[in-house]
Each structure stands twice: as structure tokens, then as C-alpha cells.
Amino acid sequence: MDNWNLLSIITFLPLVGALFILLIPQNNNTSSERNSKSVALWTSLITFLISLLLLIGFDTSDPSFQFVERIVIADGLMTYQLGVDGFSLVFIILTTFLIPFCILISWDSIKDRVESYMIAFLVLETLIIGTFSSLDIILFYLFFESVLIPMFIIIGVWGGQRKVYSAFKFFLYTLLGSILMLAAIIYLYINTGSTEILLINERLNINISTQNILWLAFFSSFAVKLPMWPVHTWLPDAHVEAPTAGSVILAAILLKMGGYGFLRFSLPFFPDASLFFAPLIFILSIVAIIYTSLVAFVQTDMKKLIAYSSVAHMGFVTLGIFTFNSQGIQGAVFQMFSHGLISAALFMCIGIVYERLHTRLISDYGGLVSNMPHFAVFFMLFTMANIALPGTSGFIGEFLTIIATFKVSVIAAVLAASGVILSAVYGLFLYKNMFFGQITNEAIEILKDLNNREKLILIPLAFLVIFFGLYPSPIINLISSSSENLVDILNLTLNDNLSLELKK
Amino acid sequence: MNLIFENIIFLSSEIILILTALILLMLGAFKKKNSAKIVIYFSFIILIFLSFLEILIPWNSVNIFNNSITQNGFTRLVKAMIYFSSSFAIILSARWLIKYDDKAFEYPILILFSVLGMSLMVSANDLITLYLAIELQSLPLYVLASFKRDNAESSEAGVKYFVLGALSSSLFLFGSSLVYGFSGSIEFDGIYNNIQALETNTAIIIGLVFILSGLIFKISAVPFHMWTPDVYQGSATPVTAFFATAPKLTALCMLINILYGPLSGMQESWYQIVFFVSMASIALGTFSAIRQTNIKRLLAYSSIAHMGFALIGLLSFPNFDGVQSLLIYMLIYLATTLGVFSCIISLEISEGESINEINDLSGISKKFPFTAFTMAMFMFSYAGIPPLGGFFAKYFIFRSAIESGLIFLSIFGLLLSVVGAFYYIRIIKLMYFDEPKTIITKSLSKSLSFTNIVCIIFIVFFIFIITIAPITELTKNAAIALGN
């Protein structure tokens, strides 16, 4: 299967679908809208099915990149080089899995410019898969930055009331973060004479102070994207104003680009600087976990609450990555994967009630359980998963991360564990206020429970959340050899440094 | 006599150009009906032909006419770019011109003369030829600025441009006389050799400063940028499209010719000036553009900022990689600018009158999805968002800067490009997020759509084009030719 260019097909198939939608004649409004929706849905489903071929062909024991394709573009500028290892495969599958749900969830809620909306999502899918699979640093930057264009349009055109402010904030914040990374990428190219990640890894030879500066440049981009405290403020705004599917994509996939960036670039390129800055990351992560959990507790807007909880959960991810042991890294990746499922599900749930009541204020709800019992069950499950109850996928990631942190720093582990309690506080608070108590809002009394389309969306997610909570090894197997490999690289430099110091 | 014939073959494109201009002038004068239309499309074809001629004929470096003119890979590539962009600037004006006055056949002919001046400017090899070429290039531009003769703003723009342009020419002339007086030569090679032989000479430095002032005026960089917004705003929009493209490229390349040629020995003197001008242009262009409400003023300030970015390419001297990045930067800048103007000109508030205010653009994505889409892509390209051409322009420029150790300037420029992104995406916000305010019609002009499509293809698929077309090799060869 190696010569099938499977990765290119998966990456660019959504783009072909987008072209198809462009070609649909737009004379009859309702039928062309329906056509574009089904083209988008089928394209994304087929992409998902093809991406499953990657899982079949992937050799989990091999830590190097697989399915590699390489074409030189414009001699010296960049190469078109794709490939996956365990980390990127997890995120690619997550992306291809979630995009059909995004299209389904917007099936009825998007009424304005449906064709453009579907095109924007398919283009976004191509760019995201490209980001996770590119093995050339310029190609990576191309995909990584291009994501801004469709996302800006999605928030700005189909967003809520303060959409313009949020779209601008999202765009400029992330652009500012990644522009410094561009400078660092150029420096890497000049230093190594190559843009290929593998060659840069081999040839990179810089002293520690340069490493620190470059690390900070990459950090500025990934920290904004992830987002880490204190550069997280764009996220609640963007989440609140984006349409449901936009929030899902943001929380479930776009945030993971930051974590992926740390794993793919910061750690292997700049191991010394990563070790040097690990305490800083620890502090920021702990602050993120505790502080944003507290902030989430006082929110009156449901989407904002989930957005802040995302920031808190991403704190576990950075914590895990910078423990530099394979348990922590596996925990971080698993946490990203499971957060991708859980936050997507939660935002979809909010979207479902928002479509019915058109309000996001928690105080407008109450007593939902009497009219929407099925919905209450699903929401309960996802809230529990968000709290990291054992038996759900959220537990595995946070548990692994906290154990790994405990080996490095006891205080950090204790503080991080307290974050789990705080997440229970705001999670249960949200659930209680929405589902129990007196019905204060008359509109709630006539609400209908989930329809079949909504059940179709929530059941697979609920199944996976429980499945990976009880049986996490498929994911852990995928990433174990890659994470071992990464830890080996880090240990190697650590030992080198130790022996250098001994020689002195 | 034989010598002249041997030399004249190297000037074939200029000679074709001047013959075309003269024949078309005759044609326009004697044939009254539809003259503007014929002249426009004929000059378009000739310019396209010449640009391919310049690229395809063998690239030998020669000095002709007693060293007063030089032809090498660099001048040929730049000339091809000038011809190509001017040809599109001419057809951009087709509809407007025919609507405005269908007997105004002088318009394309003025552009042809100006293009002739530009092509001599980049190939000039002594100060006198250079000065004559500058004047030949500028005089038609003054006329073009005031071409809407029944419009007060246009006349004002013409007068302003003329007075300030004449001042800058005189500064240039004064500087040249100082350089000539103290180095004893008007030829570039002679000046170079004599400057090498001399100790540091204050008078030549003063001359250098005056020459630079004159040239910086032409590329509208800070501190000689004040004319740009007014002239851009006052002139007819198609004329602005021409001002924003070929003359900028020409002046920039002439700057390279002079600084890398005769004055390359005085690098430490001009280096600081260019450094300052580049930084100041980026900063002023970026911050001033934020407050603009007139779309042409906004583009004027944005072009000031872009000139600042392009000048960074000059700073990698004595490494010639910077020239390559500068040429690529200008190529993408030309395509984006022509594309933007093709969108603006095609949107009309009344018959033959294109939009002026930025707010006129609000909500056009509903009515004209394709125009709005292309405009959005051009704006993202200006802002340097990948995968559009503008990103690669920035990438090449900053790569050459970081290679020459200009880390601070690069970070400064990159950060300000984020500020610049603000006003570019504000236009996208107007087009996509807002509701329509003014009633806008779209002119169905084939030449406008053609330009628009050519530019959008170039910008969006730049990554493929640079793979297939030998852009990097051409620019690299040009830079190497300049180095020899």
C-alpha cells in the first residue's frame, strides 16, 4: 500500500469534494443546498473510511515515519513530504472521524450560504490533515497558517452577535503567535540547509542560548494555539461566537495542533531548551488547570464554561508532554484524543439545545430532564467524562499525566489532581442548573427530546468515550513506540550533557 | 555606422516600443472612430510580445553605445516584468477609458512612452542616460495623473505630482553633478573605480544622499512618501493601478543598479539610509493605513509599507540573494496589486465610476461572490497568509534578511506585518460579515475579468507555479548577472 499515495489522497480528497460543491448549479436554492450538504457529508465519510486504511497498514512497532511521500518543490524552497507516525495518526483519525459529525450537526442549523459553509469545512479538513501529516517544516507552516483563513470566515460569517470582534481576535492573536515561529523556521533552514524535518533533526547544531530563543519562538506559536494561560483569552470569545460545528473543530482539533507542535518540533529540535523551560511550562500548566477551572465556575454562558474547561484540560496536556517520560507523553496524547471526543460532544450538546431555545445562558435553563430525558443521559455521560470519572476516556489521560507528573514533581502532581476536583465542581454545577430544579423558562415545557439525527451524532461519541475509557490500549499501542522514541532522544541529550559536565 | 547597427540590435525591444507608440499615435490622430479601443488592445499585444521577447532571447551581458547602456540578465528580467505588468495596467483601463472618452487614444500611448522611459532607466549605465530616462518616464505620468481633466481632484493630483516630481528630479540631478564633480566620471564603471581609488569623500557622500532622495521619492518610501496618497486618490483608478505597479518596480531596480553598481564602494554610507528608510516605510505605511476610509489611500499606504519590505532585500548586500528575493517579492506584489485594482475597477457606484470608499465594499460577497472571493484572496496575500503568493514573498525577503544577520529588522518587519493584517482583513470583514449598504453594479468587462483571473491564478497557485515555471532560476540568474 506504500505506493498508493494514501496520505495525499486523504489530505486532498476533501478539497476535491469542495470543488464538486462549487460545480453544483445554484439555481434552485433548496435542492442545491441539500446537494451540497450531501456532497460534503459523503466526501467526509469517504475520507474517514480511507483514513481507516492507514490504521490497517500502520506498523505500530516501528517508530519512524510511515506512508512517506516526497517530491521536491522549487529547488531549495521546500519539499512536499508527507508521512505519519503514531502521534500524527491519532490526530488524523480524530479529524476525519469528527468532520462528518460537524457537517451533520450543522445540517439544519445553518440556513445562510450553505454551499460556502460546506466548502469552508472541507477546505478546513484538508488543511488540518495536511498539518498533521507534513514532514517538511515549510509545508507544515503553510497548512498550519492557512487554517486561519477558513476559520476566520466560519466565525465571522456564521457566528453570533460579537462575531466580528471574536474573528479578529482569533485571527490576529494566532497570526502574531505564529509569525515568530516563521522567523525561527527560517533560521532553522539557514542553519541546516534543509526544510525537511528528518534532516533538520540530524543536522541541527546550535548552542544552548540560540536553542532557547528558537524554542521561545516556537512556544509563542504553540502556546497561543493550544492555548496556554495567559494567552488563552482568544479562545472563550472564539468559542462563544463560532457556530456549533466551528466550536467543535476549534476545541476538538485546532487546539491539538499546539500540542502536536510541541511533540513534533519543540521537543526533538530543542531538547536542551525544553528541559530548561520545563519548570516554566509546569507553572503555566498548573495555573491554567486551577485558575481557568475557577473561572469556568463563575461563567453564566454554557459555551464559555466549556471553553474555559478546555483551557484547563490543555493544561494537563502540556504538563504531560514536559514530564519527558513516556507515560506523561502518552497521557498527554491520550488526553488530547479524549478531549477531542468529549469537548466535541459537549459543544454538540450545547448546539442541540441552543437550536431549540436560542440562548446560551445557564440561568435560562433548568428542569430540562423532565422533557428531554435521553438528552439528559448523554449530557450526564459527557459531563462525567469531562470530569474524568474512571471508566470514561477522560480518566485515562489525566490519570497517566498525573502519575507521570508525580515522578517529576510531587507538588505539581498534587495541584494538578486538585484541578480534577475543581472540574467536578463546575461540571456538576452546570449539570444541576441545566437539568434539575424548577422549570423557570416556559419554552422548556414544550421542548422535544432528541431526534434521530441528533441521536446518530451522539451515540457513536458516547460509545467511543466509554470504549476508550475501559479499553485504552488501541490508542496507547499506536503512540507507544513514537513516544518511546521521543523519550530516547531526550534522554540521549540529557546523558550527553551529563557526560560533558563530568568531563569538565 | 557599422558600430551603431551592431549595438542597435540589443535595443530591439525599445525600438519596437517606440515605433509602436509612434504608429499608434498616427493611427489615433487620423482614424477618429474607436481609436482608443484599437490602440489599447494593440499596445497590450505588443507589450506582452516584448515581455516574452526579453525573457526568451539569449541573455548576454553587453555594454552598448559607449557604455551608456547595459543589457544583462537582470535588466532583461526586470524589463519583462515591467512590460508584462504595464500591459495589464493598460487593459485594466480599457472600459473606463472608452466610457470616459472614446477618442482619448493618447492614454495608452502615454503609458507606452513611460514604459520606454522605464526600460531605459533599468538599462542606463551612466548618469546622463539615467536622468533622461527618468524624465522620459515621469513626464507621461504627470499627464496621466491629471487625465480626468474635468475633475478638480485629478488636476490637483497632477500638479502635486509634477511639482514634487520635478523637485525630486532636481535633487537627483544635483546629487549626480556632485558625484560627477568629485569622481570625475559619469559612467557607472568609472564612478565605481574612482570611488575605490579615493579616500572617503564627504562631497560624494552628499551627492549620494541627494541621489538617494530622488530615487526614494520615486518608490514613495518614507520620508518622501507624502505625494503618494494624494496622487493615488486624485487620479482615475486605472491610472492609480499603473502608478502602483511598473514605476515602483523600475525605481526599485534602478536603486539596485546604482547602489550595487557605482556606489557599491560606499556601502557603509548608504546601508544606514536604506535601513532607516525600510524600517520607517514599514512602520508608517502600516500604521497610517489603519485609519484610512478611502480605498485608494489605503492602498497607497499599503504600497509604502510594501516598498519598505522590498527594500529589506537590498540590505543583504554584498550577498546577491537579497536581489533574488526582492524580484520575487515585486513579482508577487505586482500580481496582487493588479488583481486588487481589477476588482476595484469592476465594481462601480455609477456608470464608469468605480468605488472610492472602503465602506462601499460592504456585503458584496452576497451579490458578487467571485469578485469578493478574489478580493479576499488578494487581501490575504497582501497580509502574507499562506498558501497564497504573498506569504512566499515575505518568506523570501525575510530569509535573505535573516541570512545576512538582520534578525532585529526581520522580527520588526514580521511583527508589523501582523498589524498590517488588521486592515487587510478589515476589508474581508466588510465584504463577508456586513450587510450591503450602497448599491453597486459590476461592469461586465472581459479585460477586467481576464486580468482578475490571471492574477488570482498566479496568487492562489503560486506554490505550483513556482514549481513548474522557472521563477527561482530566472530571478537567481538575474541576481547573478547583476553580480558580474
Side-chain angles (χ1 to χ4, degrees):
Chain A
M1 263 194 303
D2 273 359
N3 48 4
W4 278 13
N5 293 343
L6 205 54
L7 271 176
S8 291
I9 294 174
I10 295 170
T11 310
F12 291 104
L13 192 66
L15 207 60
V16 176
L19 283 180
F20 261 115
I21 295 178
L22 265 184
L23 295 178
I24 294 173
Q26 302 190 352
N27 37 16
N28 185 338
N29 254 331
T30 46
S31 80
S32 74
E33 275 179 11
R34 207 173 47 241
N35 285 340
S36 58
K37 280 182 207 164
S38 35
V39 170
L41 184 61
W42 280 109
T43 319
S44 54
L45 278 176
I46 294 169
T47 314
F48 172 60
L49 291 178
I50 298 179
S51 71
L52 290 180
L53 289 179
L54 284 179
L55 274 184
I56 297 166
F58 188 80
D59 178 6
T60 47
S61 59
D62 182 4
S64 63
F65 290 100
Q66 300 173 35
F67 302 101
V68 175
E69 300 164 27
R70 183 172 178 278
I71 303 167
V72 178
I73 291 180
D75 194 30
L77 172 63
M78 59 186 279
T79 57
Y80 172 78
Q81 196 175 12
L82 299 180
V84 287
D85 65 352
F87 299 139
S88 33
L89 190 58
V90 171
F91 295 115
I92 290 174
I93 301 288
L94 184 66
T95 313
T96 54
F97 173 72
L98 283 176
I99 294 277
F101 292 101
C102 289
I103 287 165
L104 271 179
I105 197 81
S106 356
W107 202 261
D108 291 333
S109 59
I110 299 295
K111 296 191 173 65
D112 183 31
R113 295 193 241 188
V114 179
E115 292 90 357
S116 321
Y117 184 84
M118 296 299 160
I119 291 173
F121 260 92
L122 291 178
V123 171
L124 196 58
E125 183 175 10
T126 287
L127 298 178
I128 294 169
I129 299 174
T131 311
F132 287 131
S133 58
S134 46
L135 291 187
D136 182 283
I137 198 157
I138 301 287
L139 189 68
F140 168 81
Y141 189 82
L142 283 185
F143 283 123
F144 185 80
E145 272 300 83
S146 314
V147 168
L148 290 183
I149 298 178
M151 209 56 218
F152 176 72
I153 300 282
I154 287 173
I155 297 177
V157 177
W158 295 280
Q161 280 156 359
R162 288 169 75 229
K163 60 186 182 181
V164 175
Y165 170 77
S166 309
F168 271 60
K169 195 168 177 181
F170 163 74
F171 192 94
L172 295 176
Y173 234 102
T174 25
L175 184 64
L176 185 65
S178 43
I179 210 84
L180 292 175
M181 181 169 80
L182 179 63
I185 286 177
I186 294 173
Y187 189 90
L188 284 180
Y189 167 75
I190 290 163
N191 188 282
T192 61
S194 170
T195 56
E196 297 168 48
I197 289 174
L198 294 170
L199 287 179
I200 291 177
N201 256 334
E202 272 173 31
R203 295 184 193 163
L204 194 62
N205 183 20
I206 43 180
N207 60 25
I208 294 196
S209 57
T210 328
Q211 247 194 48
N212 287 347
I213 294 169
L214 293 180
W215 187 91
L216 281 175
F218 274 85
F219 172 75
S220 76
S221 171
F222 299 142
V224 170
K225 205 81 173 185
L226 195 61
M228 292 178 74
W229 185 85
V231 284
H232 65 283
T233 57
W234 64 270
L235 183 77
D237 287 309
H239 266 322
V240 169
E241 299 306 327
T244 305
S247 306
V248 171
I249 285 285
L250 256 179
I253 303 165
L254 291 194
L255 304 192
K256 275 64 184 179
M257 286 182 177
Y260 175 77
F262 279 126
L263 290 171
R264 174 71 69 239
F265 301 105
S266 300
L267 260 55
F269 285 179
F270 319 115
D272 299 317
S274 301
L275 291 170
F276 178 76
F277 283 111
L280 172 76
I281 296 275
F282 267 51
I283 292 169
L284 292 182
S285 310
I286 295 296
V287 173
I289 292 172
I290 293 175
Y291 168 78
T292 48
S293 296
L294 292 174
V295 175
F297 179 63
V298 295
Q299 295 306 315
T300 53
D301 183 312
M302 303 188 293
K303 261 189 166 178
K304 250 192 179 150
L305 189 146
I306 307 295
Y308 278 109
S309 106
S310 289
V311 180
H313 284 101
M314 288 301 113
F316 283 100
V317 171
T318 41
L319 208 57
I321 291 174
F322 282 85
T323 55
F324 304 119
N325 56 46
S326 70
Q327 221 165 15
I329 290 171
Q330 285 171 16
V333 177
F334 197 91
Q335 168 78 349
M336 285 196 265
F337 175 76
S338 98
H339 180 259
L341 296 175
I342 296 166
S343 65
L346 281 173
F347 276 117
M348 285 174 183
C349 286
I350 291 173
I352 285 169
V353 282
Y354 180 78
E355 261 175 61
R356 288 170 168 71
L357 286 181
H358 297 285
T359 167
R360 286 187 309 258
L361 290 182
I362 300 172
S363 54
D364 287 346
Y365 292 85
L368 274 180
V369 70
S370 54
N371 281 323
M372 300 180 78
H374 290 135
F375 180 66
V377 172
F378 281 114
F379 204 95
M380 184 67 170
L381 172 70
F382 295 129
T383 311
M384 287 304 141
N386 201 28
I387 297 169
L389 196 76
T392 61
S393 66
F395 172 71
I396 311 288
E398 294 191 9
F399 186 64
L400 280 174
T401 317
I402 291 172
I403 290 180
T405 316
F406 198 83
K407 289 182 189 163
V408 183
S409 148
V410 178
I411 301 169
V414 169
L415 290 172
S418 72
V420 179
I421 299 168
L422 289 174
S423 77
V425 173
Y426 65 74
L428 293 174
F429 159 81
L430 174 71
Y431 195 80
K432 181 206 133 218
N433 284 354
M434 272 178 75
F435 287 90
F436 301 131
Q438 293 290 314
I439 296 180
T440 49
N441 190 342
E442 285 176 8
I444 290 179
E445 288 177 9
I446 50 164
L447 276 188
K448 290 206 179 78
D449 207 350
L450 300 177
N451 61 27
N452 288 336
R453 176 177 62 90
E454 288 158 352
K455 279 183 191 158
L456 185 72
I457 294 167
L458 293 181
I459 288 172
L461 287 171
F463 172 75
L464 286 183
V465 166
I466 296 173
F467 177 79
F468 285 118
L470 299 173
Y471 185 62
S473 34
I475 301 290
I476 301 287
N477 279 343
L478 266 184
I479 55 178
S480 59
S481 57
S482 299
S483 57
E484 302 283 344
N485 187 34
L486 186 57
V487 172
D488 284 348
I489 294 172
L490 289 168
N491 285 341
L492 210 65
T493 43
L494 255 182
N495 295 338
D496 279 0
N497 289 351
L498 279 180
S499 57
L500 273 179
E501 275 170 24
L502 286 179
K503 269 181 200 166
K504 279 175 194 166
Chain B
M1 200 62 195
N2 210 4
L3 190 72
I4 290 179
F5 279 118
E6 266 171 26
N7 284 337
I8 222 160
I9 189 82
F10 292 103
L11 275 184
S12 45
S13 62
E14 280 85 354
I15 289 171
I16 296 175
L17 202 59
I18 195 161
L19 284 180
T20 317
L22 291 175
I23 291 168
L24 289 178
L25 195 62
M26 288 296 133
L27 184 90
F30 289 108
K31 188 175 181 332
K32 292 283 184 243
K33 214 175 146 197
N34 272 341
S35 53
K37 207 172 181 179
I38 297 169
V39 172
I40 283 172
Y41 289 107
F42 197 72
S43 32
F44 170 73
I45 291 165
I46 290 290
L47 282 174
I48 293 277
F49 166 73
L50 286 179
S51 68
F52 281 103
L53 188 74
E54 286 293 351
I55 291 187
L56 295 177
I57 48 176
W59 291 26
N60 296 326
S61 290
V62 282
N63 286 343
I64 47 177
F65 290 115
N66 291 328
N67 282 341
S68 63
I69 282 178
T70 179
Q71 299 280 31
N72 54 35
F74 175 73
T75 61
R76 286 194 189 280
L77 180 69
V78 173
K79 275 197 256 177
M81 282 161 70
I82 292 171
Y83 296 152
F84 208 71
S85 61
S86 316
S87 67
F88 280 101
I90 287 180
I91 57 165
L92 275 186
S93 59
R95 187 186 143 84
W96 168 78
L97 188 65
I98 293 162
K99 275 260 148 25
Y100 179 71
D101 181 357
D102 65 347
K103 292 188 204 63
F105 63 90
E106 300 93 342
Y107 177 92
I109 293 169
L110 283 170
I111 291 188
L112 286 184
F113 277 118
S114 180
V115 169
L116 178 68
M118 292 175 203
S119 117
L120 288 173
M121 258 163 91
V122 285
S123 35
N125 202 31
D126 67 34
L127 289 172
I128 301 238
T129 320
L130 183 56
Y131 179 72
L132 289 177
I134 290 178
E135 288 305 293
L136 178 57
Q137 178 251 7
S138 311
L139 282 173
L141 292 186
Y142 305 143
V143 182
L144 285 174
S146 50
F147 201 78
K148 266 164 84 179
R149 53 189 179 280
D150 48 2
N151 180 312
E153 271 188 1
S154 177
S155 314
E156 182 196 325
V159 172
K160 250 182 206 162
Y161 195 21
F162 176 66
V163 172
L164 290 173
L167 180 71
S168 85
S169 296
S170 64
L171 288 180
F172 177 82
L173 202 56
F174 182 56
S176 325
S177 66
L178 277 178
V179 169
Y180 167 63
F182 285 85
S183 70
S185 173
I186 53 163
E187 279 171 25
F188 285 0
D189 298 341
I191 296 173
Y192 173 76
N193 293 331
N194 294 347
I195 284 179
Q196 296 296 75
L198 286 170
E199 297 282 301
T200 324
N201 189 322
T202 324
I204 293 189
I205 293 179
I206 294 173
L208 162 82
V209 172
F210 275 108
I211 289 182
L212 271 181
S213 314
L215 297 186
I216 286 167
F217 174 90
K218 298 284 177 208
I219 59 171
S220 73
V222 176
F224 300 102
H225 62 283
M226 282 80 147
W227 61 275
T228 328
D230 293 335
V231 172
Y232 270 41
Q233 188 186 11
S235 314
T237 315
V239 179
T240 315
F242 181 60
F243 283 170
T245 48
K248 294 274 166 74
L249 170 70
T250 318
L252 212 47
C253 292
M254 196 176 64
L255 206 58
I256 296 176
N257 258 342
I258 289 193
L259 295 184
Y260 281 40
L263 300 179
S264 56
M266 306 177 66
Q267 191 219 350
E268 65 273 22
S269 309
W270 60 257
Y271 195 85
Q272 300 159 13
I273 299 178
V274 175
F275 193 92
F276 165 78
V277 168
S278 160
M279 265 180 77
S281 305
I282 296 174
L284 186 129
T286 308
F287 284 111
S288 311
I290 292 176
R291 292 182 313 146
Q292 302 305 319
T293 55
N294 183 297
I295 191 146
K296 281 196 273 178
R297 285 189 90 84
L298 182 133
L299 288 172
Y301 282 110
S302 118
S303 86
I304 293 172
H306 281 290
M307 287 306 120
F309 283 117
L311 280 176
I312 294 178
L314 272 175
L315 292 173
S316 65
F317 188 81
N319 188 342
F320 281 79
D321 284 354
V323 176
Q324 185 195 2
S325 355
L326 189 148
L327 287 173
I328 295 178
Y329 191 96
M330 286 310 289
L331 188 66
I332 293 162
Y333 168 80
L334 293 181
T336 316
T337 309
L338 285 171
V340 168
F341 275 102
S342 76
C343 292
I344 294 174
I345 296 170
S346 71
L347 298 169
E348 296 180 335
I349 34 176
S350 63
E351 185 81 345
E353 185 67 24
S354 48
I355 53 172
N356 282 317
E357 296 302 309
I358 295 176
N359 283 336
D360 291 344
L361 283 169
S362 50
I364 62 163
S365 67
K366 284 196 178 128
K367 221 168 157 192
F368 312 115
F370 184 71
T371 313
F373 170 75
T374 53
M375 184 81 173
M377 287 300 127
F378 293 133
M379 287 298 139
F380 279 127
S381 170
Y382 264 158
I385 308 293
L388 305 166
F391 165 71
F392 292 97
K394 290 238 160 70
Y395 172 72
F396 277 112
I397 279 287
F398 287 114
R399 197 170 89 181
S400 76
I402 292 178
E403 246 170 348
S404 358
L406 296 164
I407 309 271
F408 168 71
L409 182 66
S410 316
I411 292 192
F412 174 81
L414 283 169
L415 289 180
L416 279 185
S417 75
V418 177
V419 180
F422 171 76
Y423 56 81
Y424 295 126
I425 61 171
R426 192 168 61 129
I427 293 181
I428 298 164
K429 170 227 156 200
L430 281 171
M431 292 190 302
Y432 277 90
F433 307 170
D434 289 2
E435 294 302 314
K437 279 180 198 137
T438 35
I439 299 160
I440 288 182
T441 51
K442 192 182 169 197
S443 69
L444 299 164
S445 159
K446 284 202 188 81
S447 53
L448 283 177
S449 326
F450 177 67
T451 316
N452 196 353
I453 288 169
V454 169
C455 293
I456 194 76
I457 287 175
F458 188 80
I459 290 301
V460 173
F461 298 104
F462 184 78
I463 179 79
F464 299 107
I465 291 171
I466 201 172
T467 316
I468 304 161
I471 292 177
T472 39
E473 278 116 77
L474 280 180
T475 45
K476 196 173 201 164
N477 290 341
I480 291 168
L482 186 70
N484 295 335

